[in-house]
Coordinates of all heavy atoms in Angstrom, one line a residue:
M1 N 1.5 -9.0 -23.6 CA 0.7 -8.9 -22.4 C 0.9 -7.5 -21.8 O 1.9 -6.9 -21.8 CB 1.3 -10.0 -21.4 CG 1.1 -9.6 -19.9 SD 1.9 -10.6 -18.7 CE 0.8 -12.0 -18.7
L2 N -0.3 -7.0 -21.4 CA -0.2 -5.8 -20.6 C -0.5 -6.2 -19.1 O -1.4 -7.0 -18.9 CB -1.3 -4.8 -21.0 CG -1.2 -4.1 -22.3 CD1 -2.4 -3.3 -22.6 CD2 0.1 -3.3 -22.4
L3 N 0.3 -5.7 -18.2 CA 0.1 -6.0 -16.8 C 0.1 -4.7 -16.0 O 1.1 -3.9 -16.1 CB 1.2 -6.9 -16.3 CG 1.0 -7.4 -14.9 CD1 1.3 -8.9 -14.7 CD2 1.7 -6.6 -13.9
A4 N -1.0 -4.4 -15.3 CA -1.1 -3.2 -14.5 C -0.9 -3.7 -13.0 O -1.5 -4.7 -12.6 CB -2.4 -2.5 -14.6
F5 N -0.1 -3.0 -12.3 CA 0.1 -3.4 -10.9 C 0.3 -2.2 -10.0 O 0.7 -1.1 -10.4 CB 1.3 -4.4 -10.7 CG 2.7 -3.8 -10.8 CD1 3.4 -3.6 -9.6 CD2 3.2 -3.4 -12.0 CE1 4.7 -3.1 -9.6 CE2 4.5 -2.8 -12.0 CZ 5.2 -2.7 -10.8
S6 N -0.1 -2.4 -8.8 CA 0.1 -1.4 -7.7 C 0.7 -2.1 -6.5 O 0.3 -3.2 -6.1 CB -1.3 -0.9 -7.3 OG -1.2 0.0 -6.2
V7 N 1.7 -1.6 -6.0 CA 2.5 -2.2 -4.9 C 2.8 -1.1 -3.8 O 3.1 0.0 -4.1 CB 3.8 -2.9 -5.4 CG1 4.7 -1.9 -6.0 CG2 4.4 -3.7 -4.3
A8 N 2.5 -1.5 -2.6 CA 2.8 -0.6 -1.5 C 3.2 -1.3 -0.2 O 2.7 -2.5 0.0 CB 1.5 0.2 -1.2
P9 N 4.1 -0.7 0.6 CA 4.5 -1.4 1.8 C 3.5 -1.1 2.9 O 2.7 -0.1 2.8 CB 5.8 -0.7 2.1 CG 5.6 0.7 1.6 CD 4.8 0.5 0.4
S10 N 3.5 -1.9 3.9 CA 2.8 -1.6 5.2 C 3.6 -2.1 6.3 O 4.6 -2.8 6.1 CB 1.4 -2.2 5.2 OG 1.5 -3.6 5.1
G11 N 3.2 -1.8 7.5 CA 3.9 -2.3 8.7 C 4.9 -1.4 9.2 O 5.6 -1.7 10.2
I12 N 5.0 -0.1 8.7 CA 5.9 0.9 9.3 C 5.2 1.5 10.5 O 4.1 2.0 10.3 CB 6.3 2.0 8.3 CG1 7.1 1.3 7.1 CG2 7.1 3.0 8.9 CD1 7.4 2.3 6.0
P13 N 5.7 1.4 11.6 CA 5.1 2.1 12.8 C 4.8 3.6 12.6 O 5.7 4.2 12.0 CB 6.0 1.8 13.9 CG 6.9 0.7 13.5 CD 7.0 0.8 12.0
A14 N 3.7 4.1 13.0 CA 3.4 5.5 12.8 C 4.4 6.4 13.4 O 4.8 7.4 12.8 CB 2.0 5.8 13.5
D15 N 5.0 6.1 14.6 CA 6.0 7.0 15.1 C 7.3 7.0 14.3 O 8.0 8.0 14.1 CB 6.4 6.6 16.6 CG 6.9 5.2 16.7 OD1 6.6 4.3 15.8 OD2 7.5 4.9 17.7
E16 N 7.6 5.9 13.6 CA 8.8 5.8 12.7 C 8.5 6.7 11.5 O 9.3 7.4 11.0 CB 9.0 4.4 12.3 CG 10.4 4.2 11.6 CD 10.6 2.8 11.3 OE1 10.4 1.9 12.1 OE2 11.1 2.5 10.1
A17 N 7.3 6.6 10.9 CA 6.9 7.4 9.8 C 6.9 8.9 10.2 O 7.4 9.7 9.4 CB 5.5 7.0 9.3
Y18 N 6.4 9.2 11.4 CA 6.4 10.6 11.8 C 7.9 11.1 12.0 O 8.2 12.2 11.6 CB 5.7 10.7 13.1 CG 5.6 12.2 13.6 CD1 4.6 13.0 13.0 CD2 6.4 12.7 14.6 CE1 4.5 14.3 13.4 CE2 6.3 14.0 15.0 CZ 5.4 14.8 14.4 OH 5.3 16.1 14.8
A19 N 8.8 10.3 12.5 CA 10.2 10.6 12.7 C 10.8 10.9 11.3 O 11.7 11.8 11.2 CB 10.9 9.5 13.4
K20 N 10.3 10.3 10.3 CA 10.9 10.5 8.9 C 10.2 11.8 8.3 O 10.5 12.1 7.1 CB 10.6 9.3 8.1 CG 11.4 8.1 8.4 CD 11.0 6.9 7.5 CE 11.8 5.7 7.8 NZ 11.4 4.6 6.9
G21 N 9.3 12.4 9.0 CA 8.7 13.6 8.4 C 7.5 13.2 7.5 O 7.1 14.0 6.7
D22 N 7.0 12.0 7.7 CA 6.0 11.5 6.8 C 4.7 11.1 7.6 O 4.3 10.0 7.6 CB 6.5 10.3 6.1 CG 5.7 9.9 4.9 OD1 4.8 10.7 4.5 OD2 5.8 8.7 4.4
A23 N 4.2 12.1 8.4 CA 3.1 11.8 9.3 C 1.8 11.4 8.6 O 1.0 10.8 9.2 CB 2.9 13.0 10.2
D24 N 1.7 11.7 7.3 CA 0.5 11.3 6.6 C 0.5 9.8 6.1 O -0.4 9.4 5.4 CB 0.2 12.2 5.4 CG 1.2 12.2 4.3 OD1 2.3 11.5 4.5 OD2 1.0 12.8 3.2
G25 N 1.6 9.1 6.3 CA 1.7 7.7 5.9 C 2.0 7.6 4.4 O 1.7 6.5 3.9
S26 N 2.4 8.6 3.7 CA 2.7 8.5 2.3 C 3.7 7.4 2.0 O 4.7 7.2 2.8 CB 3.2 9.8 1.8 OG 3.5 9.7 0.4
V27 N 3.5 6.7 0.9 CA 4.4 5.7 0.5 C 5.2 6.0 -0.8 O 5.7 5.2 -1.5 CB 3.7 4.3 0.3 CG1 3.1 3.9 1.6 CG2 2.6 4.4 -0.7
H28 N 5.3 7.3 -1.1 CA 5.8 7.7 -2.4 C 7.3 7.3 -2.6 O 7.7 7.0 -3.7 CB 5.7 9.3 -2.6 CG 6.4 10.1 -1.6 ND1 5.8 10.5 -0.4 CD2 7.7 10.6 -1.6 CE1 6.7 11.2 0.3 NE2 7.8 11.3 -0.4
D29 N 8.1 7.2 -1.5 CA 9.5 6.8 -1.7 C 9.5 5.3 -2.1 O 10.3 4.9 -3.0 CB 10.3 7.0 -0.4 CG 10.6 8.5 -0.2 OD1 10.6 9.3 -1.1 OD2 10.8 8.8 1.0
A30 N 8.7 4.5 -1.5 CA 8.6 3.1 -1.9 C 8.1 2.9 -3.3 O 8.7 2.1 -4.1 CB 7.7 2.3 -0.9
V31 N 7.1 3.6 -3.6 CA 6.5 3.5 -5.0 C 7.5 4.0 -6.0 O 7.7 3.4 -7.1 CB 5.2 4.3 -5.1 CG1 4.7 4.4 -6.5 CG2 4.1 3.7 -4.2
A32 N 8.3 5.1 -5.7 CA 9.3 5.6 -6.6 C 10.4 4.5 -6.8 O 10.9 4.3 -7.9 CB 10.0 6.8 -6.0
A33 N 10.7 3.7 -5.8 CA 11.7 2.7 -5.9 C 11.2 1.6 -6.9 O 11.9 1.1 -7.8 CB 12.0 2.0 -4.6
A34 N 9.9 1.3 -6.8 CA 9.3 0.3 -7.7 C 9.2 0.8 -9.1 O 9.6 0.1 -10.1 CB 7.9 -0.1 -7.2
V35 N 8.8 2.0 -9.3 CA 8.7 2.6 -10.7 C 10.1 2.7 -11.3 O 10.3 2.4 -12.5 CB 8.0 4.0 -10.6 CG1 8.1 4.7 -12.0 CG2 6.6 3.8 -10.2
K36 N 11.1 3.0 -10.5 CA 12.5 3.0 -11.0 C 12.9 1.6 -11.6 O 13.5 1.5 -12.7 CB 13.5 3.4 -10.0 CG 14.9 3.5 -10.5 CD 15.8 4.2 -9.6 CE 17.3 4.4 -10.0 NZ 17.7 3.8 -11.3
V37 N 12.5 0.5 -10.9 CA 12.8 -0.8 -11.4 C 12.1 -1.0 -12.7 O 12.7 -1.6 -13.7 CB 12.3 -1.9 -10.3 CG1 12.3 -3.3 -11.0 CG2 13.2 -1.8 -9.1
V38 N 10.9 -0.6 -12.8 CA 10.1 -0.8 -14.1 C 10.8 0.0 -15.2 O 11.0 -0.5 -16.3 CB 8.6 -0.3 -13.9 CG1 7.9 -0.3 -15.2 CG2 7.9 -1.2 -12.9
R39 N 11.1 1.3 -14.9 CA 11.7 2.1 -16.0 C 13.1 1.6 -16.4 O 13.4 1.6 -17.6 CB 11.7 3.5 -15.5 CG 10.4 4.2 -15.4 CD 10.4 5.6 -15.0 NE 9.0 6.1 -15.0 CZ 8.7 7.3 -14.5 NH1 9.6 8.1 -14.1 NH2 7.4 7.7 -14.5
D40 N 13.8 1.1 -15.5 CA 15.1 0.6 -15.8 C 15.1 -0.8 -16.5 O 16.1 -1.2 -17.2 CB 16.0 0.3 -14.5 CG 16.4 1.6 -13.8 OD1 16.3 2.7 -14.5 OD2 16.9 1.6 -12.7
S41 N 13.9 -1.4 -16.5 CA 13.7 -2.7 -17.2 C 13.8 -2.6 -18.7 O 14.1 -3.5 -19.4 CB 12.4 -3.3 -16.9 OG 11.3 -2.7 -17.5
G42 N 13.5 -1.4 -19.3 CA 13.5 -1.1 -20.7 C 12.2 -1.6 -21.4 O 12.0 -1.3 -22.6
L43 N 11.3 -2.2 -20.6 CA 10.0 -2.6 -21.2 C 9.1 -1.3 -21.3 O 9.2 -0.4 -20.5 CB 9.3 -3.6 -20.3 CG 9.9 -5.0 -20.2 CD1 9.2 -5.8 -19.2 CD2 10.0 -5.6 -21.5
P44 N 8.2 -1.3 -22.3 CA 7.3 -0.2 -22.4 C 6.4 -0.1 -21.2 O 6.0 -1.2 -20.6 CB 6.4 -0.6 -23.6 CG 7.2 -1.5 -24.4 CD 8.0 -2.3 -23.4
N45 N 6.2 1.1 -20.6 CA 5.5 1.2 -19.4 C 4.9 2.6 -19.3 O 5.3 3.5 -20.0 CB 6.4 0.9 -18.2 CG 7.5 2.0 -18.0 OD1 7.3 3.0 -17.5 ND2 8.7 1.7 -18.6
K46 N 3.9 2.7 -18.4 CA 3.2 3.9 -18.1 C 2.8 3.9 -16.7 O 2.3 2.9 -16.2 CB 2.0 4.1 -19.0 CG 1.3 5.4 -18.8 CD 0.1 5.6 -19.7 CE -0.5 6.9 -19.4 NZ -1.7 7.1 -20.3
T47 N 3.0 5.0 -15.9 CA 2.6 5.1 -14.5 C 1.6 6.2 -14.4 O 1.8 7.3 -15.0 CB 3.8 5.4 -13.6 OG1 4.7 4.3 -13.7 CG2 3.4 5.6 -12.2
D48 N 0.5 5.9 -13.7 CA -0.5 7.0 -13.4 C -0.7 7.0 -11.9 O 0.1 6.4 -11.2 CB -1.8 6.8 -14.2 CG -2.5 5.5 -13.8 OD1 -2.5 5.0 -12.6 OD2 -3.1 4.9 -14.7
S49 N -1.7 7.7 -11.4 CA -1.8 7.9 -10.0 C -2.1 6.7 -9.2 O -2.0 6.6 -8.0 CB -2.8 9.0 -9.7 OG -4.1 8.6 -10.2
M50 N -2.6 5.6 -9.9 CA -3.0 4.4 -9.2 C -2.2 3.1 -9.6 O -2.1 2.2 -8.7 CB -4.5 4.1 -9.5 CG -5.4 5.2 -8.9 SD -5.4 5.2 -7.1 CE -6.2 3.7 -6.8
F51 N -1.8 3.0 -10.8 CA -1.1 1.8 -11.3 C 0.1 2.1 -12.2 O 0.2 3.2 -12.8 CB -2.1 0.9 -12.1 CG -3.1 0.3 -11.3 CD1 -4.4 0.9 -11.0 CD2 -2.9 -1.0 -10.7 CE1 -5.3 0.2 -10.3 CE2 -3.9 -1.6 -10.0 CZ -5.1 -1.0 -9.7
T52 N 0.9 1.1 -12.3 CA 2.0 1.1 -13.3 C 1.6 0.0 -14.3 O 1.4 -1.1 -13.8 CB 3.4 1.0 -12.7 OG1 3.7 2.1 -12.0 CG2 4.4 0.8 -13.8
T53 N 1.6 0.3 -15.6 CA 1.4 -0.8 -16.6 C 2.6 -1.0 -17.4 O 3.3 -0.1 -17.8 CB 0.2 -0.3 -17.5 OG1 -0.9 0.0 -16.7 CG2 -0.1 -1.4 -18.5
I54 N 2.9 -2.3 -17.6 CA 4.1 -2.8 -18.3 C 3.6 -3.7 -19.4 O 2.6 -4.4 -19.3 CB 5.0 -3.7 -17.4 CG1 5.3 -3.0 -16.1 CG2 6.3 -4.0 -18.1 CD1 6.0 -4.0 -15.1
E55 N 4.3 -3.6 -20.6 CA 4.0 -4.5 -21.7 C 5.2 -5.3 -22.0 O 6.4 -4.9 -22.1 CB 3.7 -3.6 -22.9 CG 3.2 -4.5 -24.1 CD 2.6 -3.7 -25.2 OE1 2.7 -2.5 -25.3 OE2 2.0 -4.4 -26.1
G56 N 5.0 -6.6 -22.2 CA 6.0 -7.5 -22.6 C 5.5 -9.0 -22.5 O 4.3 -9.2 -22.4
E57 N 6.5 -9.9 -22.6 CA 6.2 -11.3 -22.5 C 6.0 -11.7 -21.0 O 6.5 -11.0 -20.1 CB 7.3 -12.1 -23.1 CG 7.4 -11.9 -24.6 CD 6.2 -12.2 -25.4 OE1 5.5 -13.3 -25.1 OE2 5.8 -11.5 -26.3
W58 N 5.2 -12.7 -20.8 CA 4.9 -13.2 -19.5 C 6.1 -13.2 -18.5 O 6.0 -12.6 -17.4 CB 4.3 -14.6 -19.6 CG 3.7 -15.2 -18.3 CD1 4.4 -15.8 -17.3 CD2 2.4 -15.2 -17.9 NE1 3.6 -16.2 -16.3 CE2 2.3 -15.8 -16.7 CE3 1.2 -14.7 -18.5 CZ2 1.1 -16.0 -16.0 CZ3 0.0 -15.0 -17.8 CH2 0.0 -15.6 -16.6
D59 N 7.1 -13.9 -18.8 CA 8.2 -14.1 -17.9 C 9.0 -12.8 -17.6 O 9.3 -12.6 -16.5 CB 9.2 -15.2 -18.4 CG 8.7 -16.6 -18.4 OD1 7.7 -16.8 -17.6 OD2 9.2 -17.4 -19.1
E60 N 9.1 -12.0 -18.6 CA 9.9 -10.7 -18.4 C 9.0 -9.7 -17.6 O 9.6 -9.1 -16.7 CB 10.4 -10.1 -19.7 CG 9.3 -9.7 -20.7 CD 9.8 -9.3 -22.1 OE1 11.1 -9.3 -22.3 OE2 9.0 -9.0 -22.9
V61 N 7.7 -9.7 -17.8 CA 6.9 -8.8 -17.1 C 6.8 -9.2 -15.6 O 7.0 -8.3 -14.7 CB 5.5 -8.7 -17.7 CG1 4.5 -8.0 -16.8 CG2 5.5 -8.0 -19.1
F62 N 6.6 -10.5 -15.4 CA 6.5 -10.9 -14.0 C 7.9 -10.8 -13.2 O 7.9 -10.6 -12.0 CB 6.0 -12.3 -13.9 CG 4.4 -12.3 -13.8 CD1 3.7 -12.5 -15.0 CD2 3.8 -12.1 -12.6 CE1 2.3 -12.4 -15.0 CE2 2.4 -12.1 -12.6 CZ 1.7 -12.2 -13.8
A63 N 9.0 -10.9 -14.0 CA 10.3 -10.7 -13.3 C 10.4 -9.3 -12.9 O 11.0 -9.0 -11.8 CB 11.4 -11.1 -14.3
V64 N 10.0 -8.3 -13.6 CA 10.0 -6.9 -13.3 C 9.1 -6.7 -12.1 O 9.5 -6.0 -11.1 CB 9.6 -6.0 -14.4 CG1 9.5 -4.6 -14.0 CG2 10.7 -6.1 -15.6
V65 N 7.9 -7.2 -12.1 CA 7.0 -7.0 -10.9 C 7.6 -7.6 -9.6 O 7.6 -7.0 -8.6 CB 5.6 -7.7 -11.2 CG1 4.8 -7.7 -10.0 CG2 4.9 -6.9 -12.3
K66 N 8.3 -8.8 -9.8 CA 8.9 -9.4 -8.6 C 10.0 -8.5 -8.1 O 10.1 -8.2 -6.8 CB 9.5 -10.7 -9.0 CG 10.2 -11.4 -7.8 CD 10.8 -12.7 -8.2 CE 11.4 -13.4 -6.9 NZ 12.2 -14.5 -7.2
R67 N 10.9 -7.9 -9.0 CA 12.0 -7.0 -8.5 C 11.4 -5.8 -7.9 O 11.9 -5.3 -6.8 CB 12.9 -6.7 -9.7 CG 13.8 -7.9 -10.1 CD 14.9 -7.4 -11.0 NE 14.6 -6.7 -12.1 CZ 14.2 -7.1 -13.3 NH1 14.1 -8.4 -13.5 NH2 13.9 -6.3 -14.3
A68 N 10.3 -5.2 -8.5 CA 9.7 -4.0 -7.9 C 9.1 -4.3 -6.5 O 9.3 -3.5 -5.6 CB 8.6 -3.5 -8.9
T69 N 8.5 -5.4 -6.4 CA 7.9 -5.8 -5.1 C 9.0 -6.0 -4.0 O 8.8 -5.6 -2.9 CB 7.1 -7.1 -5.3 OG1 6.1 -6.9 -6.2 CG2 6.4 -7.5 -4.0
E70 N 10.1 -6.6 -4.4 CA 11.2 -6.7 -3.5 C 11.8 -5.4 -3.0 O 12.1 -5.2 -1.9 CB 12.3 -7.6 -4.1 CG 11.9 -9.0 -4.3 CD 12.9 -9.9 -5.2 OE1 13.7 -9.3 -5.9 OE2 12.7 -11.1 -5.1
E71 N 11.8 -4.4 -3.9 CA 12.3 -3.1 -3.6 C 11.4 -2.4 -2.6 O 11.8 -1.9 -1.6 CB 12.4 -2.2 -4.8 CG 13.7 -2.4 -5.6 CD 14.9 -2.1 -4.8 OE1 15.1 -1.1 -4.2 OE2 15.8 -3.0 -4.8
V72 N 10.1 -2.6 -2.8 CA 9.1 -2.0 -1.9 C 9.1 -2.7 -0.5 O 8.9 -2.0 0.5 CB 7.6 -2.1 -2.5 CG1 6.6 -1.7 -1.5 CG2 7.5 -1.1 -3.7
G73 N 9.5 -3.9 -0.5 CA 9.6 -4.7 0.7 C 10.6 -4.1 1.7 O 10.5 -4.3 2.9
K74 N 11.5 -3.3 1.2 CA 12.5 -2.7 2.0 C 12.0 -1.6 2.9 O 12.6 -1.1 3.8 CB 13.7 -2.1 1.2 CG 14.4 -3.2 0.4 CD 15.5 -2.6 -0.5 CE 16.2 -3.6 -1.3 NZ 17.1 -3.0 -2.3
Y75 N 10.7 -1.1 2.6 CA 10.1 0.0 3.2 C 9.1 -0.4 4.3 O 8.4 0.4 4.9 CB 9.4 0.9 2.2 CG 10.4 1.6 1.3 CD1 11.0 1.0 0.2 CD2 10.8 2.9 1.6 CE1 11.9 1.7 -0.6 CE2 11.8 3.6 0.8 CZ 12.3 2.9 -0.3 OH 13.2 3.6 -1.1
G76 N 8.9 -1.7 4.5 CA 7.9 -2.1 5.5 C 8.1 -3.6 5.8 O 8.9 -4.3 5.1
S77 N 7.3 -4.1 6.7 CA 7.4 -5.5 7.1 C 6.4 -6.3 6.2 O 6.5 -7.6 6.3 CB 7.0 -5.7 8.5 OG 5.8 -5.2 8.8
R78 N 5.6 -5.7 5.4 CA 4.6 -6.4 4.6 C 4.5 -5.6 3.3 O 4.8 -4.4 3.2 CB 3.2 -6.4 5.2 CG 3.1 -7.1 6.5 CD 1.8 -7.0 7.0 NE 1.0 -8.1 6.5 CZ -0.1 -8.6 7.1 NH1 -0.6 -8.0 8.1 NH2 -0.7 -9.6 6.6
V79 N 4.0 -6.3 2.2 CA 3.8 -5.6 0.9 C 2.4 -6.0 0.4 O 2.1 -7.2 0.5 CB 4.9 -6.0 -0.1 CG1 4.6 -5.5 -1.5 CG2 6.3 -5.6 0.4
S80 N 1.7 -5.1 -0.1 CA 0.4 -5.3 -0.8 C 0.7 -5.2 -2.3 O 1.2 -4.2 -2.7 CB -0.6 -4.3 -0.3 OG -1.8 -4.4 -1.1
L81 N 0.2 -6.2 -3.0 CA 0.4 -6.2 -4.5 C -0.9 -6.5 -5.2 O -1.6 -7.5 -4.9 CB 1.5 -7.2 -4.9 CG 1.7 -7.5 -6.3 CD1 2.3 -6.2 -7.0 CD2 2.6 -8.7 -6.5
V82 N -1.3 -5.6 -6.1 CA -2.5 -5.8 -6.9 C -2.1 -5.9 -8.3 O -1.3 -5.1 -8.8 CB -3.5 -4.6 -6.7 CG1 -4.7 -4.8 -7.6 CG2 -3.9 -4.5 -5.2
I83 N -2.6 -6.9 -9.0 CA -2.2 -7.2 -10.4 C -3.5 -7.4 -11.3 O -4.4 -8.1 -10.9 CB -1.3 -8.4 -10.6 CG1 0.0 -8.2 -9.8 CG2 -1.1 -8.8 -12.0 CD1 0.9 -9.5 -9.8
K84 N -3.5 -6.8 -12.4 CA -4.5 -7.0 -13.5 C -3.7 -7.2 -14.8 O -2.9 -6.3 -15.1 CB -5.5 -5.8 -13.5 CG -6.5 -6.1 -14.6 CD -7.6 -5.0 -14.6 CE -8.7 -5.3 -15.6 NZ -9.7 -4.3 -15.6
A85 N -4.1 -8.2 -15.5 CA -3.4 -8.5 -16.8 C -4.3 -8.7 -17.9 O -5.4 -9.2 -17.8 CB -2.5 -9.7 -16.6
D86 N -3.9 -8.2 -19.1 CA -4.6 -8.4 -20.4 C -3.6 -9.3 -21.2 O -2.6 -8.8 -21.7 CB -4.9 -7.1 -21.1 CG -5.6 -7.3 -22.4 OD1 -5.9 -8.4 -22.8 OD2 -5.8 -6.2 -23.1
I87 N -3.9 -10.6 -21.3 CA -3.1 -11.5 -22.0 C -3.7 -11.8 -23.4 O -4.7 -12.4 -23.5 CB -3.0 -12.8 -21.2 CG1 -2.5 -12.5 -19.8 CG2 -2.1 -13.8 -21.9 CD1 -2.7 -13.6 -18.8
R88 N -3.0 -11.3 -24.4 CA -3.5 -11.3 -25.8 C -2.3 -11.7 -26.7 O -1.6 -10.8 -27.3 CB -4.1 -10.0 -26.2 CG -4.9 -10.0 -27.4 CD -5.6 -8.7 -27.6 NE -6.5 -8.7 -28.7 CZ -7.0 -7.7 -29.3 NH1 -6.8 -6.5 -28.8 NH2 -7.8 -7.8 -30.3
P89 N -2.1 -13.0 -26.9 CA -0.9 -13.5 -27.7 C -1.0 -12.9 -29.1 O -2.0 -12.8 -29.7 CB -1.1 -15.0 -27.7 CG -1.9 -15.3 -26.4 CD -2.8 -14.1 -26.3
G90 N 0.2 -12.6 -29.6 CA 0.3 -12.1 -30.9 C 0.2 -10.6 -31.1 O 0.3 -10.0 -32.2
Y91 N -0.1 -9.9 -30.0 CA -0.2 -8.4 -30.1 C 0.9 -7.7 -29.3 O 1.3 -8.2 -28.3 CB -1.6 -8.0 -29.5 CG -2.8 -8.3 -30.4 CD1 -3.3 -9.6 -30.4 CD2 -3.3 -7.3 -31.1 CE1 -4.4 -9.9 -31.3 CE2 -4.4 -7.6 -32.0 CZ -4.9 -8.9 -32.0 OH -6.0 -9.1 -32.8
S92 N 1.3 -6.6 -29.8 CA 2.3 -5.8 -29.1 C 1.9 -4.3 -29.4 O 1.1 -4.1 -30.3 CB 3.7 -6.1 -29.6 OG 3.9 -5.8 -31.0
G93 N 2.5 -3.4 -28.7 CA 2.2 -2.0 -28.9 C 0.8 -1.6 -28.3 O 0.3 -0.5 -28.6
E94 N 0.3 -2.5 -27.5 CA -1.1 -2.3 -27.0 C -1.1 -1.2 -25.9 O -2.2 -0.7 -25.5 CB -1.7 -3.6 -26.5 CG -2.1 -4.5 -27.7 CD -3.1 -3.9 -28.6 OE1 -4.3 -3.9 -28.2 OE2 -2.8 -3.4 -29.7
L95 N 0.0 -0.9 -25.3 CA 0.1 0.1 -24.2 C -0.5 1.4 -24.7 O -1.2 2.1 -24.0 CB 1.5 0.3 -23.8 CG 1.7 1.1 -22.5 CD1 1.1 0.5 -21.3 CD2 3.2 1.4 -22.3
T96 N -0.2 1.7 -26.0 CA -0.8 3.0 -26.6 C -1.9 2.7 -27.5 O -2.9 3.5 -27.6 CB 0.3 3.7 -27.3 OG1 0.9 2.9 -28.3 CG2 1.4 4.2 -26.3
A97 N -1.9 1.5 -28.2 CA -2.9 1.3 -29.3 C -4.3 1.1 -28.7 O -5.3 1.6 -29.3 CB -2.5 0.0 -30.0
K98 N -4.4 0.6 -27.5 CA -5.8 0.4 -26.9 C -6.4 1.8 -26.6 O -7.5 2.0 -26.8 CB -5.7 -0.4 -25.6 CG -5.5 -1.9 -25.8 CD -5.4 -2.6 -24.5 CE -6.8 -2.8 -23.9 NZ -6.8 -3.8 -22.8
V99 N -5.5 2.7 -26.1 CA -6.0 4.1 -25.8 C -6.3 4.8 -27.1 O -7.3 5.5 -27.2 CB -5.0 4.9 -25.0 CG1 -5.4 6.3 -24.8 CG2 -4.7 4.1 -23.7
E100 N -5.5 4.6 -28.1 CA -5.8 5.3 -29.4 C -7.2 4.8 -30.0 O -7.9 5.6 -30.5 CB -4.7 5.0 -30.4 CG -3.4 5.7 -30.1 CD -2.2 5.2 -30.9 OE1 -2.3 4.3 -31.7 OE2 -1.1 5.7 -30.6
R101 N -7.5 3.5 -29.9 CA -8.7 3.0 -30.4 C -9.9 3.5 -29.6 O -10.9 3.9 -30.1 CB -8.7 1.4 -30.3 CG -7.9 0.8 -31.4 CD -8.1 -0.7 -31.5 NE -7.8 -1.5 -30.3 CZ -6.6 -1.9 -30.0 NH1 -5.6 -1.7 -30.7 NH2 -6.5 -2.6 -28.9
L102 N -9.7 3.7 -28.3 CA -10.7 4.3 -27.4 C -11.0 5.7 -27.8 O -12.2 6.1 -28.0 CB -10.3 4.2 -25.9 CG -11.2 4.9 -24.9 CD1 -12.5 4.3 -24.9 CD2 -10.5 5.0 -23.6
E103 N -9.9 6.5 -27.9 CA -10.1 7.9 -28.3 C -10.8 8.0 -29.7 O -11.6 8.9 -29.9 CB -8.7 8.6 -28.3 CG -8.1 8.8 -27.0 CD -8.9 9.6 -26.0 OE1 -9.7 10.5 -26.4 OE2 -8.8 9.4 -24.8
S104 N -10.5 7.2 -30.6 CA -11.1 7.2 -31.9 C -12.6 6.9 -31.8 O -13.4 7.5 -32.5 CB -10.4 6.2 -32.8 OG -11.0 6.2 -34.1
A105 N -12.9 6.0 -30.9 CA -14.3 5.6 -30.7 C -15.1 6.8 -30.1 O -16.3 7.0 -30.4 CB -14.5 4.4 -29.9
I106 N -14.5 7.5 -29.2 CA -15.1 8.6 -28.5 C -15.4 9.7 -29.5 O -16.4 10.3 -29.5 CB -14.3 9.1 -27.3 CG1 -14.2 8.1 -26.2 CG2 -14.7 10.5 -26.8 CD1 -13.2 8.3 -25.1
E107 N -14.4 10.0 -30.4 CA -14.5 11.1 -31.4 C -15.6 10.7 -32.4 O -16.1 11.6 -33.1 CB -13.2 11.3 -32.0 CG -12.2 11.9 -31.0 CD -10.8 12.0 -31.6 OE1 -10.6 11.7 -32.8 OE2 -9.9 12.4 -30.8
G108 N -15.8 9.4 -32.6 CA -16.9 8.9 -33.5 C -16.5 9.0 -34.9 O -17.0 9.1 -35.9

């Protein structure tokens, strides 16, 4: 399974964010905490500017997402979580293989 997710806190008062020197409302510290959980999991993963994608079995992937979400929850009173999954039993290595097939098709 490939699972892409994006998680962010909300509910931090603007004056509190400003006091932290984060007047633009950036959530990079919370996202960094989530990505650290993913990387520490040992599962294949990739992070880009919008999502983190993890590859593994259903239970292990969702356990990592749960832990990452709990970490982000420490940064606000609410958490927003977006998940998209590609569930394809019997396949592994798709984190890179799908992109390789795409690039091959583009090159023709």
Side-chain angles (χ1 to χ4, degrees):
M1 151 188 283
L2 290 176
L3 186 140
F5 78 105
S6 174
V7 61
S10 62
I12 298 174
D15 60 340
E16 190 177 318
Y18 185 78
K20 292 180 179 178
D22 193 16
D24 68 350
S26 178
V27 295
H28 62 270
D29 289 335
V31 172
V35 172
K36 182 170 182 355
V37 168
V38 172
R39 291 182 179 172
D40 288 350
S41 76
L43 295 176
N45 66 84
K46 181 178 180 183
T47 299
D48 61 37
S49 61
M50 296 292 292
F51 286 92
T52 294
T53 304
I54 311 169
E55 184 169 13
E57 295 300 318
W58 185 279
D59 290 340
E60 62 188 356
V61 167
F62 274 95
V64 172
V65 172
K66 181 181 181 189
R67 287 193 310 273
T69 302
E70 290 168 346
E71 279 300 308
V72 169
K74 296 175 183 177
Y75 291 83
S77 59
R78 301 176 87 159
V79 176
S80 172
L81 174 65
V82 176
I83 296 175
K84 181 175 182 179
D86 180 4
I87 303 162
R88 196 172 184 194
Y91 285 78
S92 63
E94 291 295 284
L95 188 66
T96 56
K98 287 180 79 166
V99 176
E100 290 167 1
R101 288 192 300 274
L102 172 67
E103 292 298 335
S104 179
I106 292 170
E107 293 171 3

